Structures are given as C-alpha cells and as structure tokens.
Amino acid sequence: MSIVTRFAPSPTGYLHLGHAFSALMAWRRAREAGGRFLLRLEDIDPGRCRPAFAEAIQEDLHWFGLDWDGSVRVQSEHLSDYAAVLDDLARRGLVYPCFCTRADIAREIGESMAAPHAPDGGSVYPGTCRLLSADARAARIAAGDRFARRLDIRRAATEPLRFIEEGVGAVLCDPAGFGDVVLARMDAPASYHLCVAHDDALQGVTLVTRGNDLRPATHIHRLLQALMGWPVPAYAHHRLLTDASGRRLAKRDRAATLRDLRATGIAPADLRRRLETDSA
Ligand code: GLU
C-alpha cells in the first residue's frame, strides 16, 4: 500500500517554524516513499479562520519548497459531509444536545468535589445535559435555546481500541477519559475531531504526522473511526519546536513566521536543512 500523508493547518494565522517542521515531516515521509502528500485547510471555525491566511499558507509552503498532490481540501466547503456523520451518530443515540454555557460548566465543575481532567489537560464535561429527558430537550430546542452537540462517550466507547504510534507500537485508547466531547456547535457546525477523522478516512491518509500536542486527541479520532467503520491510519506524533527559552512556538511569536524568515533573505533550502538537522 502506498503511503499518504497530509499537512492540515487551520488558517488562523501565518505559518510559523513549528508548522514548517510539521509540514516537512509529512512531505518528506511521502516523498521518500514515492507516496502522496496532501494539503488540507481546517477552516471550520468561522470566528478564527481567515481566507487571507488560507492563501498565505499555500504561498508560504510553495516558497518553502513543499509541493502537494491533488487539490487542497477546504473543510468549510464540505459541511454537508460532516453533518451526515453527525446525523448518523445521532440516529444511533450517540449524540445529545448540550445547552450548558461555559459559565454553567465552570460552575458545575467548581461545585463537584473531584473534577477530573481530560488527557489533553482540559476539564471533563460533567454530563449535565445527558440526563435531560427527550421532552425537556425538545422544549429547549423549540424555545430557541442555543446548544452544542456532544458525543455520549460511555455509550460510544464500548470496546477496547488501539492505534499504532510509530516507534512505540500499539497504544490502548482511553476515549472515556475525555468525557462527552463536543462534536458540533452552533457557530462551528463540526468539531476538529469529527472533521479530522472524517477527512483522513475520506482522503485515504495512511500515516498521520502531527505535533505531540495532538497525541491525546488521537484517542477520540480512533473512537470515531471505530464508530463509523473508517480505516485506521498509523500515527507519528513529533516533538514540538521550542524557542531559545524552551517555550513552545506559537502563532503569537511573530518572529518565527515563515513570512518574516523569508523577509530576512534566508534560502528556503537552508531553512529546510536546518529543520531536518534539528529533527535528526
Ligand atoms: N488543524 C490542526 C491544527 O492546525 C491540525 C490537525 C491535525 O494535524 O490533525 O492544529
């Protein structure tokens, strides 16, 4: 089977060195194996994504010397795909509407004695709206109350699941540790988890390379793969680049954007070499 990798940035800012490193990993793995390297724009959150950044990402990758195969998948153009997955899960009783605001959740968590933390460091939703009756749900929806849609994780995660992490082997998943994750909000019609798992399957991605910060999310993605009967790629989570003080590079660090580096006159091949040496 031929290898398919992808780089899937969200156009919420300019690419920084950390993204360049991540894109290079995926590109190199595909090119070395004569496989395919895909570019996907994860622009599902209209409040944070900007078309100008989507364009800039493609321009910066070109400058950096990375080419991709086929057309770019732009997630906001495929909302009906994600809605169909949500409907499928809802029909099977695995999704429920959650009317809690952030403040409600913070208060509920504050009131409970031992609020558990999810593996990604976030807090676990206490499940308040899972207990609402069908009538109460219908009444609130009819009243126009805003709601998110959550996965009922205890109903969904019924069998042990594993994924293959390169260099580690089989990793046992703990999706229940995340609690009932949000799969859709009114302002962002499908969550990162849903769109990523759907698109990796649709696009035939065989190896997901991405930063270690997303490693915990793989437990949820693996669960969605199992629920939807999607193929399971291998995973290679890489270390995150840090600045001189050891702080993780982030979009706020303007000095580290590819744009700014380009403006310094650095040759892209030198930059690639620097990052590759760094990764060795
Ligand atoms: N869109 C995600 C981000 O920019 C990455 C998704 C992934 O690689 O799975 O952080």
Side-chain angles (χ1 to χ4, degrees):
M1 188 179 58
S2 163
I3 179 172
V4 181
T5 67
R6 51 48 162 202
F7 176 52
S10 302
T12 56
Y14 292 117
L15 294 183
H16 58 67
L17 263 186
H19 293 115
F21 179 64
S22 201
L24 187 57
M25 297 272 110
W27 178 84
R28 192 167 44 150
R29 289 299 300 271
R31 293 290 172 256
E32 278 175 0
R36 285 163 57 75
F37 169 67
L38 311 178
L39 175 63
R40 184 165 79 222
L41 293 173
E42 306 211 316
D43 62 341
I44 217 75
D45 184 346
R48 297 177 56 231
C49 299
R50 301 274 175 275
F53 290 131
E55 257 172 56
I57 285 172
Q58 297 177 67
E59 195 185 298
D60 289 348
L61 287 175
H62 271 307
W63 169 78
F64 191 46
L66 305 192
D67 57 339
W68 52 89
D69 298 297
S71 53
V72 177
R73 180 168 170 94
V74 180
Q75 288 188 328
S76 61
E77 294 171 3
H78 301 281
L79 298 184
S80 58
D81 286 8
Y82 312 125
V85 177
L86 263 176
D87 286 350
D88 187 334
L89 294 171
R91 261 197 308 275
R92 289 147 66 191
L94 299 175
V95 173
Y96 64 86
C98 170
F99 305 92
C100 296
T101 61
R102 279 182 214 280
D104 291 337
I105 297 172
R107 199 184 46 248
E108 284 157 19
I109 289 176
E111 282 165 5
S112 83
M113 296 299 281
H117 275 280
D120 61 359
S123 47
V124 173
Y125 176 63
T128 321
C129 286
R130 190 177 55 229
L131 307 174
L132 290 179
S133 67
D135 284 350
R137 281 177 188 161
R140 293 198 63 170
I141 292 173
D145 287 358
R146 293 176 68 75
F147 62 92
R149 300 176 81 188
R150 289 184 182 272
L151 182 66
D152 185 335
I153 207 94
R154 278 184 296 193
R155 290 187 82 166
T158 53
E159 48 167 345
L161 296 170
R162 291 176 173 75
F163 64 88
I164 300 294
E165 175 74 35
E166 269 197 3
V168 174
V171 176
L172 186 65
C173 294
D174 175 26
F178 286 80
D180 296 344
V181 288
V182 169
L183 291 187
R185 291 186 196 283
M186 290 210 139
D187 52 356
S191 73
Y192 156 70
H193 296 306
L194 193 152
C195 301
V196 165
H198 173 275
D199 285 356
D200 283 340
L202 180 84
Q203 297 187 285
V205 172
T206 63
L207 175 67
V208 172
T209 61
R210 61 184 174 199
N212 252 330
D213 53 330
L214 290 173
R215 186 192 290 241
T218 308
H219 296 236
I220 298 292
H221 303 171
R222 180 67 190 86
L223 173 60
L224 290 171
Q225 288 155 4
L227 290 172
M228 298 305 298
W230 290 330
V232 183
Y235 290 85
H237 293 97
H238 58 72
R239 67 186 184 80
L240 300 174
L241 292 195
T242 50
D243 64 14
S245 63
R247 238 173 32 130
R248 183 185 149 193
L249 295 184
K251 281 179 180 149
R252 62 180 176 273
D253 300 316
R254 259 188 55 74
T257 67
L258 284 191
R259 304 243 126 177
D260 292 340
L261 287 161
R262 180 176 172 181
T264 67
I266 188 171
D270 287 343
L271 188 57
R272 283 204 305 277
R273 208 166 308 120
R274 211 173 96 193
L275 288 176
E276 300 209 293
T277 321
D278 226 36
S279 74

